[in-house]
């Protein structure tokens, strides 16, 4: 109860903070320090992290025939950050892309490595009916000036004036509202466990593809970028060697395995580092519980969202989405949906055998 009370007080303090006069804006707080965190000198760029040291889930890299054919026909070329300056759209932050730099995809983004040990995540097209667009999206949509920079709002209005039809203008507004939503999801986690959340810059991007006829295919889409860390997804440390007994149909179609941490998978891990990882996982559990109980939000944590860095063996979360509780499907075993995520982490930590 003490821990729950502490998080409740913290959440109340944040709400009071927003309502106080003379405070920095949401964007100023969110982006504080990012210029330093994400700075790179192209003339003194570090050597590329070897691909075998990257936290890549190769199953996420696989695409079907139709997608592979499309990528061959319209290969990705580059992405710009687009904003509004001098009374018109303004492009900066050129980021070269290539199919060889594609390292994964999630439910909402495609991920590419950049030549300077960073990644750029390019938003996929989504329909407004997607469960991600719940109460937090409504909050952003009704208060765009809080979650978007002035130049981003200026760009949105500028682009809306350049198109015909209400549906096109709504589509542009939807994309900018989604950009603000990504920032809000990030803030939900960053404000509670700042040292575990990877610093991330969110921006509106203009993605270019090359067509067979030499005409570029241009897409306006929310993007974000982060520093690239050597490490492994959580699932890459898992050894599946004990099957969980279910009924015969589930065993055949949906097999379950006990999650065991393989301490020798990437060398011998010091016990003190295992204890630190376990403690950080318990902090993630407390945050998950707090969001579920106090804000009715489900932190969508999966093994693909977490990496353990190498050689430091530190826990880092690099993907952040939260859903409304009533829009998230719980399992039959756990009617409260956050329990699935908590049990996954608990089972993993218990395999450390720390006592």
């Amino acid at each position: 109860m003490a821990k729950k009370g502490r998080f409740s007080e913290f959440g109340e303090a944040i709400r009071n903070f927003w309502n106080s006069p003379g405070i920095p804006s949401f964007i100023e707080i969110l982006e504080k320090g990012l210029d330093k965190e994400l700075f790179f000198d192209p003339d003194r760029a570090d050597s590329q992290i070897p691909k075998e040291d990257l936290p890549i889930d190769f199953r996420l890299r696989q695409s079907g025939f139709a997608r592979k054919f499309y990528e061959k026909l319209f290969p990705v070329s580059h992405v710009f950050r687009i904003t509004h300056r001098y009374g018109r759209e303004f492009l900066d932050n050129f980021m070269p892309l290539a199919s060889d730099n594609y390292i994964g995809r999630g439910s909402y983004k495609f991920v590419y490595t950049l030549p300077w040990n960073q990644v750029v995540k390019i938003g996929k097209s989504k329909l407004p009916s997607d469960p991600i667009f719940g109460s937090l999206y409504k909050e952003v949509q009704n208060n765009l000036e809080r979650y978007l920079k002035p130049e981003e709002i200026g760009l949105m209005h500028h682009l809306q004036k350049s198109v015909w039809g209400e549906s096109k203008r709504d589509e542009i507004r939807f994309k900018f509202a989604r950009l603000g939503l990504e920032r809000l999801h990030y803030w939900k986690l960053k404000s509670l466990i700042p040292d575990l959340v990877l610093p991330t810059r969110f921006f509106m991007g203009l993605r270019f593809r090359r067509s067979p006829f030499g005409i570029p295919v241009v897409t306006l889409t929310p993007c974000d970028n982060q520093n690239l860390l050597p490490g492994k997804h959580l699932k890459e440390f898992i050894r599946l060697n004990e099957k969980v007994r279910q009924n015969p149909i589930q065993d055949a179609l949906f097999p379950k395995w006990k999650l065991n941490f393989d301490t020798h998978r990437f060398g011998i891990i010091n016990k003190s580092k295992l204890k630190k990882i376990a403690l950080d996982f318990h902090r993630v559990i407390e945050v998950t519980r707090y969001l579920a109980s106090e804000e009715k939000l489900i932190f969508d944590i999966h093994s693909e969202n977490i990496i353990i860095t190498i050689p430091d063996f530190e826990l880092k979360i690099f993907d952040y989405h939260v859903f409304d509780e009533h829009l998230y499907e719980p399992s039959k075993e756990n009617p409260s949906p956050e329990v699935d995520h908590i049990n996954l982490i608990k089972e993993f930590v218990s395999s450390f055998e720390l006592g």
Side-chain angles (χ1 to χ4, degrees):
M1 287 297 291
K3 288 182 178 178
K4 181 181 176 182
R6 187 180 71 241
F7 276 117
S8 299
E9 290 172 8
F10 185 70
E12 185 63 30
I14 290 175
R15 283 188 284 274
N16 292 337
F17 178 75
W18 289 130
N19 296 325
S20 302
I23 63 167
S25 72
F26 172 83
I27 304 294
E28 289 174 319
I29 296 171
L30 200 66
E31 299 222 327
K32 186 179 180 181
L34 279 184
D35 287 338
K36 182 179 179 181
E37 292 276 5
L38 298 175
F39 173 79
F40 73 93
D41 183 349
D43 296 322
R44 301 179 61 185
D46 296 331
S47 58
Q48 281 289 291
I49 298 171
K51 185 158 277 193
E52 59 269 18
D53 291 340
L54 297 183
I56 298 173
D57 185 341
F58 284 96
R59 283 176 293 183
L60 293 177
R61 286 174 55 86
Q62 300 306 312
S63 298
F65 171 77
R67 184 77 201 180
K68 289 178 180 176
F69 181 73
Y70 178 79
E71 294 289 344
K72 286 284 186 185
L73 206 59
F74 300 94
V76 68
S77 170
H78 56 279
V79 64
F80 278 107
R81 184 166 61 184
I82 180 172
T83 186
H84 187 258
R85 294 178 192 167
Y86 312 113
R88 58 168 297 163
E89 65 273 28
F90 184 87
L91 302 180
D92 65 0
N93 257 39
F94 171 76
M95 302 180 188
L97 304 177
S99 56
D100 290 344
N101 302 129
Y102 169 65
I103 61 169
R105 71 179 188 275
S107 300
Y108 297 99
K109 298 171 187 176
F110 293 103
V111 186
Y112 295 86
T113 59
L114 295 170
W116 46 83
N117 279 335
Q118 288 185 354
V119 297
V120 59
K121 301 179 183 179
I122 300 174
K124 294 179 180 178
S125 295
K126 285 292 168 184
L127 295 173
S129 57
D130 192 281
I132 195 175
F133 302 112
S135 62
L136 294 183
Y137 176 74
K138 291 176 183 176
E139 155 66 20
V140 172
Q141 194 178 41
N142 293 331
N143 300 280
L144 282 181
E145 67 285 348
R146 174 177 284 186
Y147 301 99
L148 296 178
K149 301 175 186 178
E151 59 267 28
E152 290 169 340
I153 291 179
L155 175 64
M156 180 183 72
H157 293 322
H158 177 79
L159 294 176
Q160 286 178 318
K161 289 176 184 176
S162 65
V163 298
W164 291 94
E166 195 65 32
S167 63
K168 285 291 184 183
R169 287 190 284 271
D170 287 345
E171 182 183 344
I172 290 171
R173 182 182 174 87
F174 173 71
K175 290 185 178 183
F176 278 90
R178 179 180 168 186
L179 172 62
L181 178 67
E182 296 280 358
R183 284 187 176 133
L184 182 52
H185 282 198
Y186 172 69
W187 169 252
K188 287 289 181 185
L189 276 297
K190 187 70 172 175
S191 62
L192 295 171
I193 41 175
D195 56 315
L196 303 186
V197 171
L198 211 58
T200 306
R201 169 169 282 143
F202 297 90
F203 61 94
M204 186 56 72
L206 210 59
R207 196 245 339 257
F208 288 77
R209 290 185 178 276
R210 294 190 299 270
S211 74
F213 311 105
I215 302 172
V217 179
V218 184
T219 305
L220 183 78
T221 184
C223 299
D224 57 271
N225 81 293
Q226 300 170 329
N227 287 329
L228 189 61
L229 296 179
K232 295 299 173 187
H233 281 116
L234 191 59
K235 65 170 57 176
E236 295 181 74
F237 287 93
I238 291 172
R239 182 176 63 244
L240 302 178
N241 61 356
E242 188 177 345
K243 209 169 187 179
V244 177
R245 286 185 173 276
Q246 305 177 99
N247 64 54
I249 296 176
Q250 286 179 315
D251 279 341
L253 300 178
F254 310 105
K256 277 190 176 182
W257 303 82
K258 279 195 174 180
L259 305 181
N260 292 301
F261 186 80
D262 188 349
T263 57
H264 298 283
R265 178 73 175 84
F266 299 99
I268 297 174
I269 303 173
N270 187 290
K271 199 162 189 176
S272 65
K273 290 182 177 178
L274 279 180
K275 287 180 178 178
K276 174 65 167 60
I277 293 173
L279 176 62
D280 287 340
F281 270 125
H282 282 298
R283 291 169 62 200
V284 173
I285 287 174
E286 290 302 319
V287 167
T288 304
R289 282 182 174 145
Y290 165 75
L291 289 173
S293 62
E294 297 298 318
E295 302 196 33
K296 305 305 177 188
L297 296 171
I298 303 303
F299 174 29
D300 192 47
I301 187 75
H302 296 286
S303 56
E304 295 91 349
N305 301 358
I306 298 175
I307 64 169
I308 296 175
T309 63
I310 294 175
D312 302 322
F313 287 94
E314 293 182 344
L315 179 68
K316 295 295 178 184
I317 302 171
F318 62 91
D319 200 8
Y320 336 98
H321 286 116
V322 289
F323 294 81
D324 286 330
E325 186 179 63
H326 65 279
L327 294 176
Y328 199 98
E329 291 217 9
S331 67
K332 290 180 180 178
E333 297 86 359
N334 296 312
S336 185
E338 82 279 1
V339 175
D340 279 329
H341 300 283
I342 291 172
N343 285 346
L344 174 75
I345 295 173
K346 280 184 171 180
E347 188 178 353
F348 183 70
V349 171
S350 67
S351 74
F352 291 9
E353 298 179 350
L354 294 172

